[in-house]
Amino acid sequence: MKSSRSRKSQLASRRNVLFGGAAAASGLFIAGCTSNESNDDEGGTEQQAPAASEEAGAPVTIGFAGPQADHGWLNAINEQARARAELYEEVTLEIAEGSNDTATQIGQVEALVNGGVDVLVILPADGVAMTDTALEIMRAGTPVINLDRIFDNPQAYRCWIGGDNYGMGLNAGHFIGEQLRDVQDARVVELSGPDNLELTQQRTQGFDDALANYPNITKVARQAAEFTTESGQEVMANLLQAESEFEALWNHDDDQGAGALQAIAQAGRDEFLMVGGAGSRAAMDHIQADDSVLKATVLYPPTMAASAIDLARALGQARGLNGLAEFEIPSSLTLYSAVVSRDNVEQYLPTGFN
């Protein structure tokens, strides 16, 4: 990356008053996207997004603020943003240290804006709590790319980009349904994420909607874990004791899935197939080796952070995206939750996170 501040003078006066306690900010207001979906994330690293394209443009400084990387998926988000920015010689990336405390993250965002970034990318620790701050930033003239956890007001971001939790469940259900299409009275169980999260509810709803297409399949049990290896092992052990026989398991998260696999191995059970969620490298290694009940995982790609850098770069350079006819970047992008199985795992291995 090459450091540059040449574009900042155009918006400097607006940004300086944003958090300076002077007169109320005014000026450029950029319309937000129309998506009203609620999106969350989970928690990995060392992913590789597809190679960037487009010729170099005007210098752009991008600020990036995210939550604390206390889960593999979140660490992968940070690595994706850094790696993508390094592909562009005209991009300077300023990254705030992640925090799960909203007040701390607001302070970090304020520091980035007052430092003179051209575009801000935010994966909020709490989208609702961060909404008012993002609104102020937008109204003061700094466009915001909202990453994954969505703000409560579409005017708080120029573009939202994130994963598809409902699509994860839908695609997991369809994969399992096709595997069990010819099995009479097939039984499936679900190892979900925390029930207090909307993302968990969306994944379960998608899964149930998909299974409704297969009248031979019945979901006979569902228990919630906490997106951790320890909780996955404990809850899966309980599921195995409660259900003496079933044909398929869908697990919402590959981190808790590592614990689930331990419980399955300890119980000596192998009569069913398992589908994971999120796309960890460990899960993909098991799928490739075909050494466990885990036969597929449904992606929730942290490459979205790399794409957010592309969106911020294009926005800062006042141009659209390569491959799209429009002059402006889209107002929202929902990423597809691909199913990774042994048939295509080699393609996706570089995107697997630790």
Side-chain angles (χ1 to χ4, degrees):
M1 296 179 289
K2 181 172 65 179
S3 179
S4 173
R5 302 290 187 195
S6 59
R7 283 191 80 252
K8 299 186 185 65
S9 59
Q10 299 176 8
L11 298 176
S13 59
R14 295 182 184 129
R15 293 175 183 137
N16 287 340
V17 301
L18 177 56
F19 299 111
S26 61
L28 178 64
F29 182 83
I30 304 176
C33 81
T34 58
S35 170
N36 60 359
E37 301 175 30
S38 179
N39 294 273
D40 297 86
D41 63 83
E42 315 161 8
T45 148
E46 308 227 357
Q47 286 200 330
Q48 297 175 9
S53 59
E54 299 185 5
E55 296 180 356
V60 179
T61 298
I62 300 171
F64 185 91
Q68 183 178 347
D70 54 5
H71 187 283
W73 188 91
L74 288 170
N75 189 53
I77 284 285
N78 293 337
E79 293 302 317
Q80 282 288 321
R82 289 190 183 96
R84 196 62 161 193
E86 288 175 356
L87 296 177
Y88 302 115
E89 64 177 11
E90 79 275 23
V91 169
T92 299
L93 183 65
E94 303 287 349
I95 299 184
E97 183 177 352
S99 175
N100 291 328
D101 177 73
T102 296
T104 300
Q105 192 176 39
I106 288 174
Q108 293 169 344
V109 167
E110 293 173 353
L112 287 171
V113 173
N114 285 332
V117 298
D118 298 302
V119 185
L120 191 63
V121 178
I122 307 176
L123 199 169
D126 184 326
V128 174
M130 183 67 74
T131 297
D132 287 344
T133 298
L135 269 171
E136 291 181 25
I137 293 169
M138 285 283 290
R139 287 169 174 159
T142 301
V144 173
I145 304 294
N146 182 193
L147 181 58
D148 199 45
R149 298 174 183 172
I150 201 164
F151 296 134
D152 203 32
N153 186 333
Q155 297 179 88
Y157 49 89
R158 167 58 179 83
C159 176
W160 172 84
I161 177 171
D164 185 357
N165 288 295
Y166 176 85
M168 284 184 72
L170 192 71
N171 292 344
H174 279 303
F175 179 84
I176 288 174
E178 290 304 308
Q179 302 304 306
L180 303 181
R181 178 179 286 278
D182 298 326
V183 178
Q184 186 176 4
D185 298 326
R187 296 154 57 92
V188 303
V189 299
E190 180 180 4
L191 181 63
S192 78
D195 278 328
N196 64 316
L197 298 180
E198 187 173 5
L199 72 88
T200 297
Q201 300 164 25
Q202 292 169 341
R203 292 178 187 185
T204 292
Q205 186 63 58
F207 187 59
D208 291 345
D209 287 351
L211 293 184
N213 293 287
Y214 304 93
N216 64 309
I217 298 176
T218 302
K219 186 169 76 171
V220 296
R222 177 187 183 278
Q223 291 192 26
E226 298 293 329
F227 287 156
T228 65
T229 300
E230 295 76 16
S231 69
Q233 183 174 10
E234 179 182 356
V235 176
M236 191 67 229
N238 294 334
L239 263 175
L240 292 169
Q241 290 180 355
E243 303 297 330
S244 60
E245 185 177 349
F246 53 90
E247 280 69 44
L249 158 71
W250 184 45
N251 159 57
H252 284 205
D253 173 70
D254 286 335
D255 272 22
Q256 71 185 25
L261 286 173
Q262 293 174 17
I264 292 165
Q266 290 168 357
R269 298 278 293 271
D270 63 1
E271 80 279 5
F272 57 89
L273 67 92
M274 173 178 171
V275 176
S280 75
R281 179 58 187 256
M284 293 186 191
D285 287 342
H286 280 300
I287 292 166
Q288 185 180 44
D290 196 21
D291 60 1
S292 73
V293 298
L294 182 60
K295 303 303 179 185
T297 185
V298 186
L299 299 187
Y300 197 83
T303 49
M304 65 178 69
S307 296
I309 297 300
D310 283 351
L311 290 166
R313 172 178 176 254
L315 188 58
Q317 294 172 344
R319 62 179 176 181
L321 293 179
N322 188 39
L324 294 180
E326 289 71 26
F327 293 114
E328 299 285 347
I329 68 168
S331 59
S332 67
L333 283 173
T334 302
L335 304 182
Y336 184 67
S337 294
V339 176
V340 178
S341 67
R342 199 176 183 193
D343 292 337
N344 62 359
V345 65
E346 289 189 8
Q347 174 187 349
Y348 288 98
L349 277 174
T351 72
F353 58 88
N354 294 324

